[in-house]
Amino acid sequence: MKTLRTALAALLLTAGALAASGCSYNTFVSQEESIKTQWSQVENQLQRRNDLIPNLVESTKGIAQQERDVFGQIAESRAKLAGAQTPEQRMQAANEQSSALARLLVVVENYPDLKSNAQFSRLMDELAGTENRIAVARGRYNTAIQEYNTQRRRFPANVTAKVFGFKEYPYFEAPPSAQTAPK
């Protein structure tokens, strides 16, 4: 009789744990999907950075190069004008200088602060914004991980996690190099 009671108690305990674990199973499935979604957002922002930054850097280089060319042409034409010996050389140098100054005036009229300045500012703003988005996505991912890992360790959910093989997910951590300030 005592053995029957023990067996019945064990059976009831097992049935209760299984019933409780059914809810845990669905919770784990939902939380794992949330983790995957949040990780996909991190990857989305990393891809945004990979697409955006090289384009901004190249466009900034292009604008800065255009301005360097204009200033270089002005300096070169000025040197030619100063070193001109004949009227023809002076006219040629003066025409080159006029042409270079006209290009500079177009640049200045269109971009009062000189475009490279604004472009570099834009690049820095975009970099900061992108890094901010990545940080937010990482934080949301880590929050989903924390909720899942906490649930996974609680009783009776820990039984469900063990039975169904729900493993612990790692947090997204900053690399050790992030602890030192850039120079």
Side-chain angles (χ1 to χ4, degrees):
M1 189 71 149
K2 193 173 189 179
T3 318
L4 184 58
R5 274 191 203 171
T6 307
L8 188 58
L11 185 60
L12 285 173
L13 184 61
T14 304
L18 283 175
S21 70
C23 296
S24 297
Y25 179 84
N26 291 335
T27 301
F28 283 132
V29 169
S30 297
Q31 288 176 332
E32 277 190 328
E33 287 304 312
S34 176
I35 288 168
K36 289 174 186 174
T37 299
Q38 293 305 323
W39 178 247
S40 138
Q41 287 302 316
V42 171
E43 287 182 329
N44 184 25
Q45 293 307 320
L46 291 172
Q47 185 61 49
R48 179 181 188 274
R49 178 174 61 185
N50 287 342
D51 293 343
L52 175 72
I53 302 309
N55 290 337
L56 285 171
V57 168
E58 286 306 311
S59 68
T60 302
K61 280 182 186 177
I63 298 295
Q65 184 62 46
Q66 176 188 358
E67 291 172 15
R68 273 195 298 275
D69 290 347
V70 168
F71 287 122
Q73 290 167 358
I74 291 170
E76 187 179 307
S77 66
R78 187 170 171 237
K80 281 184 183 178
L81 188 60
Q85 301 293 324
T86 66
E88 291 81 18
Q89 288 176 339
R90 283 187 183 274
M91 282 187 256
Q92 177 72 28
N95 286 339
E96 285 180 25
Q97 192 172 44
S98 293
S99 177
L101 287 171
R103 281 193 294 281
L104 176 63
L105 289 175
V106 168
V107 169
V108 171
E109 283 175 9
N110 289 333
Y111 314 102
D113 277 338
L114 290 183
K115 184 72 172 180
S116 65
N117 223 2
Q119 202 64 10
F120 285 116
S121 293
R122 180 171 174 245
L123 174 63
M124 296 310 294
D125 288 346
E126 288 294 332
L127 277 170
T130 299
E131 292 304 316
N132 218 10
R133 288 177 182 202
I134 291 169
V136 168
R138 286 176 180 167
R140 289 179 179 158
Y141 171 77
N142 280 345
T143 298
I145 295 291
Q146 184 258 333
E147 290 170 2
Y148 169 84
N149 285 344
T150 300
Q151 177 70 19
R152 192 182 151 277
R153 293 178 60 199
R154 288 186 182 149
F155 182 81
N158 62 347
V159 174
T160 306
K162 195 166 281 214
V163 168
F164 291 101
F166 289 102
K167 302 292 181 197
E168 185 170 331
Y169 278 85
Y171 287 98
F172 195 117
E173 296 178 1
S177 61
Q179 294 179 1
T180 56
K183 294 180 181 176

PDB file of all heavy atoms in Angstrom, residues 53-71:
ATOM      1  N   ILE A  53      28.733  53.612 -44.365  1.00  0.00           N
ATOM      2  CA  ILE A  53      30.000  54.272 -44.056  1.00  0.00           C
ATOM      3  C   ILE A  53      30.935  54.329 -45.258  1.00  0.00           C
ATOM      4  O   ILE A  53      31.454  55.408 -45.572  1.00  0.00           O
ATOM      5  CB  ILE A  53      30.678  53.624 -42.827  1.00  0.00           C
ATOM      6  CG1 ILE A  53      29.752  53.680 -41.609  1.00  0.00           C
ATOM      7  CG2 ILE A  53      32.026  54.259 -42.536  1.00  0.00           C
ATOM      8  CD1 ILE A  53      29.164  55.040 -41.291  1.00  0.00           C
ATOM      9  N   PRO A  54      31.160  53.234 -45.969  1.00  0.00           N
ATOM     10  CA  PRO A  54      32.062  53.363 -47.123  1.00  0.00           C
ATOM     11  C   PRO A  54      31.539  54.357 -48.171  1.00  0.00           C
ATOM     12  O   PRO A  54      32.330  55.096 -48.761  1.00  0.00           O
ATOM     13  CB  PRO A  54      32.108  51.941 -47.704  1.00  0.00           C
ATOM     14  CG  PRO A  54      31.777  51.062 -46.567  1.00  0.00           C
ATOM     15  CD  PRO A  54      30.793  51.836 -45.735  1.00  0.00           C
ATOM     16  N   ASN A  55      30.231  54.395 -48.378  1.00  0.00           N
ATOM     17  CA  ASN A  55      29.663  55.358 -49.328  1.00  0.00           C
ATOM     18  C   ASN A  55      29.893  56.783 -48.863  1.00  0.00           C
ATOM     19  O   ASN A  55      30.240  57.659 -49.661  1.00  0.00           O
ATOM     20  CB  ASN A  55      28.161  55.111 -49.515  1.00  0.00           C
ATOM     21  CG  ASN A  55      27.898  53.838 -50.272  1.00  0.00           C
ATOM     22  OD1 ASN A  55      28.740  53.359 -51.012  1.00  0.00           O
ATOM     23  ND2 ASN A  55      26.728  53.287 -50.072  1.00  0.00           N
ATOM     24  N   LEU A  56      29.684  57.037 -47.585  1.00  0.00           N
ATOM     25  CA  LEU A  56      29.916  58.386 -47.062  1.00  0.00           C
ATOM     26  C   LEU A  56      31.381  58.772 -47.139  1.00  0.00           C
ATOM     27  O   LEU A  56      31.716  59.905 -47.503  1.00  0.00           O
ATOM     28  CB  LEU A  56      29.430  58.484 -45.615  1.00  0.00           C
ATOM     29  CG  LEU A  56      27.922  58.549 -45.442  1.00  0.00           C
ATOM     30  CD1 LEU A  56      27.560  58.419 -43.972  1.00  0.00           C
ATOM     31  CD2 LEU A  56      27.385  59.835 -45.997  1.00  0.00           C
ATOM     32  N   VAL A  57      32.249  57.841 -46.812  1.00  0.00           N
ATOM     33  CA  VAL A  57      33.679  58.131 -46.863  1.00  0.00           C
ATOM     34  C   VAL A  57      34.088  58.454 -48.300  1.00  0.00           C
ATOM     35  O   VAL A  57      34.799  59.435 -48.547  1.00  0.00           O
ATOM     36  CB  VAL A  57      34.504  56.948 -46.298  1.00  0.00           C
ATOM     37  CG1 VAL A  57      35.981  57.117 -46.603  1.00  0.00           C
ATOM     38  CG2 VAL A  57      34.288  56.832 -44.798  1.00  0.00           C
ATOM     39  N   GLU A  58      33.612  57.668 -49.252  1.00  0.00           N
ATOM     40  CA  GLU A  58      33.973  57.916 -50.647  1.00  0.00           C
ATOM     41  C   GLU A  58      33.418  59.244 -51.147  1.00  0.00           C
ATOM     42  O   GLU A  58      34.098  59.981 -51.846  1.00  0.00           O
ATOM     43  CB  GLU A  58      33.491  56.766 -51.541  1.00  0.00           C
ATOM     44  CG  GLU A  58      34.311  55.509 -51.393  1.00  0.00           C
ATOM     45  CD  GLU A  58      35.801  55.720 -51.601  1.00  0.00           C
ATOM     46  OE1 GLU A  58      36.206  56.354 -52.602  1.00  0.00           O
ATOM     47  OE2 GLU A  58      36.588  55.264 -50.745  1.00  0.00           O
ATOM     48  N   SER A  59      32.170  59.562 -50.784  1.00  0.00           N
ATOM     49  CA  SER A  59      31.614  60.838 -51.241  1.00  0.00           C
ATOM     50  C   SER A  59      32.348  61.996 -50.587  1.00  0.00           C
ATOM     51  O   SER A  59      32.582  63.031 -51.211  1.00  0.00           O
ATOM     52  CB  SER A  59      30.107  60.914 -50.973  1.00  0.00           C
ATOM     53  OG  SER A  59      29.849  60.967 -49.598  1.00  0.00           O
ATOM     54  N   THR A  60      32.737  61.849 -49.338  1.00  0.00           N
ATOM     55  CA  THR A  60      33.497  62.889 -48.652  1.00  0.00           C
ATOM     56  C   THR A  60      34.865  63.064 -49.309  1.00  0.00           C
ATOM     57  O   THR A  60      35.309  64.185 -49.536  1.00  0.00           O
ATOM     58  CB  THR A  60      33.667  62.545 -47.161  1.00  0.00           C
ATOM     59  OG1 THR A  60      32.372  62.389 -46.590  1.00  0.00           O
ATOM     60  CG2 THR A  60      34.427  63.619 -46.424  1.00  0.00           C
ATOM     61  N   LYS A  61      35.489  61.952 -49.638  1.00  0.00           N
ATOM     62  CA  LYS A  61      36.779  62.033 -50.327  1.00  0.00           C
ATOM     63  C   LYS A  61      36.619  62.751 -51.660  1.00  0.00           C
ATOM     64  O   LYS A  61      37.455  63.564 -52.039  1.00  0.00           O
ATOM     65  CB  LYS A  61      37.337  60.629 -50.581  1.00  0.00           C
ATOM     66  CG  LYS A  61      38.006  59.983 -49.423  1.00  0.00           C
ATOM     67  CD  LYS A  61      38.540  58.626 -49.886  1.00  0.00           C
ATOM     68  CE  LYS A  61      39.123  57.821 -48.766  1.00  0.00           C
ATOM     69  NZ  LYS A  61      39.551  56.486 -49.244  1.00  0.00           N
ATOM     70  N   GLY A  62      35.539  62.433 -52.377  1.00  0.00           N
ATOM     71  CA  GLY A  62      35.297  63.062 -53.676  1.00  0.00           C
ATOM     72  C   GLY A  62      35.114  64.556 -53.563  1.00  0.00           C
ATOM     73  O   GLY A  62      35.694  65.323 -54.338  1.00  0.00           O
ATOM     74  N   ILE A  63      34.314  65.003 -52.596  1.00  0.00           N
ATOM     75  CA  ILE A  63      34.090  66.439 -52.405  1.00  0.00           C
ATOM     76  C   ILE A  63      35.386  67.114 -51.971  1.00  0.00           C
ATOM     77  O   ILE A  63      35.755  68.164 -52.493  1.00  0.00           O
ATOM     78  CB  ILE A  63      32.975  66.687 -51.356  1.00  0.00           C
ATOM     79  CG1 ILE A  63      31.650  66.102 -51.832  1.00  0.00           C
ATOM     80  CG2 ILE A  63      32.849  68.155 -51.029  1.00  0.00           C
ATOM     81  CD1 ILE A  63      31.074  66.763 -53.062  1.00  0.00           C
ATOM     82  N   ALA A  64      36.071  66.515 -51.022  1.00  0.00           N
ATOM     83  CA  ALA A  64      37.323  67.105 -50.543  1.00  0.00           C
ATOM     84  C   ALA A  64      38.345  67.172 -51.671  1.00  0.00           C
ATOM     85  O   ALA A  64      39.074  68.161 -51.796  1.00  0.00           O
ATOM     86  CB  ALA A  64      37.871  66.289 -49.370  1.00  0.00           C
ATOM     87  N   GLN A  65      38.384  66.132 -52.512  1.00  0.00           N
ATOM     88  CA  GLN A  65      39.319  66.124 -53.638  1.00  0.00           C
ATOM     89  C   GLN A  65      38.993  67.244 -54.612  1.00  0.00           C
ATOM     90  O   GLN A  65      39.885  67.923 -55.105  1.00  0.00           O
ATOM     91  CB  GLN A  65      39.291  64.765 -54.343  1.00  0.00           C
ATOM     92  CG  GLN A  65      40.311  64.651 -55.460  1.00  0.00           C
ATOM     93  CD  GLN A  65      41.732  64.784 -54.953  1.00  0.00           C
ATOM     94  OE1 GLN A  65      42.117  64.190 -53.969  1.00  0.00           O
ATOM     95  NE2 GLN A  65      42.518  65.622 -55.611  1.00  0.00           N
ATOM     96  N   GLN A  66      37.696  67.457 -54.882  1.00  0.00           N
ATOM     97  CA  GLN A  66      37.282  68.528 -55.797  1.00  0.00           C
ATOM     98  C   GLN A  66      37.772  69.870 -55.267  1.00  0.00           C
ATOM     99  O   GLN A  66      38.311  70.688 -56.021  1.00  0.00           O
ATOM    100  CB  GLN A  66      35.763  68.532 -55.941  1.00  0.00           C
ATOM    101  CG  GLN A  66      35.241  69.655 -56.796  1.00  0.00           C
ATOM    102  CD  GLN A  66      33.719  69.741 -56.764  1.00  0.00           C
ATOM    103  OE1 GLN A  66      33.062  68.941 -56.137  1.00  0.00           O
ATOM    104  NE2 GLN A  66      33.185  70.728 -57.431  1.00  0.00           N
ATOM    105  N   GLU A  67      37.610  70.112 -53.990  1.00  0.00           N
ATOM    106  CA  GLU A  67      38.049  71.377 -53.406  1.00  0.00           C
ATOM    107  C   GLU A  67      39.571  71.482 -53.414  1.00  0.00           C
ATOM    108  O   GLU A  67      40.121  72.544 -53.707  1.00  0.00           O
ATOM    109  CB  GLU A  67      37.500  71.523 -51.987  1.00  0.00           C
ATOM    110  CG  GLU A  67      36.001  71.733 -51.990  1.00  0.00           C
ATOM    111  CD  GLU A  67      35.400  71.687 -50.614  1.00  0.00           C
ATOM    112  OE1 GLU A  67      36.131  71.768 -49.619  1.00  0.00           O
ATOM    113  OE2 GLU A  67      34.180  71.561 -50.546  1.00  0.00           O
ATOM    114  N   ARG A  68      40.252  70.373 -53.120  1.00  0.00           N
ATOM    115  CA  ARG A  68      41.722  70.393 -53.178  1.00  0.00           C
ATOM    116  C   ARG A  68      42.180  70.722 -54.586  1.00  0.00           C
ATOM    117  O   ARG A  68      43.137  71.466 -54.777  1.00  0.00           O
ATOM    118  CB  ARG A  68      42.291  69.042 -52.721  1.00  0.00           C
ATOM    119  CG  ARG A  68      42.506  68.939 -51.229  1.00  0.00           C
ATOM    120  CD  ARG A  68      43.399  67.758 -50.876  1.00  0.00           C
ATOM    121  NE  ARG A  68      42.832  66.483 -51.274  1.00  0.00           N
ATOM    122  CZ  ARG A  68      41.964  65.782 -50.559  1.00  0.00           C
ATOM    123  NH1 ARG A  68      41.574  66.228 -49.396  1.00  0.00           N
ATOM    124  NH2 ARG A  68      41.502  64.631 -50.987  1.00  0.00           N
ATOM    125  N   ASP A  69      41.495  70.150 -55.575  1.00  0.00           N
ATOM    126  CA  ASP A  69      41.851  70.427 -56.970  1.00  0.00           C
ATOM    127  C   ASP A  69      41.693  71.898 -57.300  1.00  0.00           C
ATOM    128  O   ASP A  69      42.562  72.497 -57.931  1.00  0.00           O
ATOM    129  CB  ASP A  69      40.989  69.580 -57.919  1.00  0.00           C
ATOM    130  CG  ASP A  69      41.330  68.101 -57.880  1.00  0.00           C
ATOM    131  OD1 ASP A  69      42.383  67.731 -57.317  1.00  0.00           O
ATOM    132  OD2 ASP A  69      40.527  67.308 -58.410  1.00  0.00           O
ATOM    133  N   VAL A  70      40.576  72.503 -56.870  1.00  0.00           N
ATOM    134  CA  VAL A  70      40.331  73.924 -57.147  1.00  0.00           C
ATOM    135  C   VAL A  70      41.412  74.774 -56.483  1.00  0.00           C
ATOM    136  O   VAL A  70      42.018  75.645 -57.128  1.00  0.00           O
ATOM    137  CB  VAL A  70      38.916  74.352 -56.683  1.00  0.00           C
ATOM    138  CG1 VAL A  70      38.771  75.868 -56.707  1.00  0.00           C
ATOM    139  CG2 VAL A  70      37.854  73.706 -57.547  1.00  0.00           C
ATOM    140  N   PHE A  71      41.688  74.526 -55.209  1.00  0.00           N
ATOM    141  CA  PHE A  71      42.719  75.305 -54.515  1.00  0.00           C
ATOM    142  C   PHE A  71      44.090  75.056 -55.126  1.00  0.00           C
ATOM    143  O   PHE A  71      44.915  75.979 -55.235  1.00  0.00           O
ATOM    144  CB  PHE A  71      42.735  74.993 -53.021  1.00  0.00           C
ATOM    145  CG  PHE A  71      41.563  75.567 -52.280  1.00  0.00           C
ATOM    146  CD1 PHE A  71      40.713  74.762 -51.558  1.00  0.00           C
ATOM    147  CD2 PHE A  71      41.303  76.934 -52.316  1.00  0.00           C
ATOM    148  CE1 PHE A  71      39.632  75.282 -50.874  1.00  0.00           C
ATOM    149  CE2 PHE A  71      40.221  77.468 -51.630  1.00  0.00           C
ATOM    150  CZ  PHE A  71      39.376  76.638 -50.920  1.00  0.00           C
TER     151      PHE A  71
END
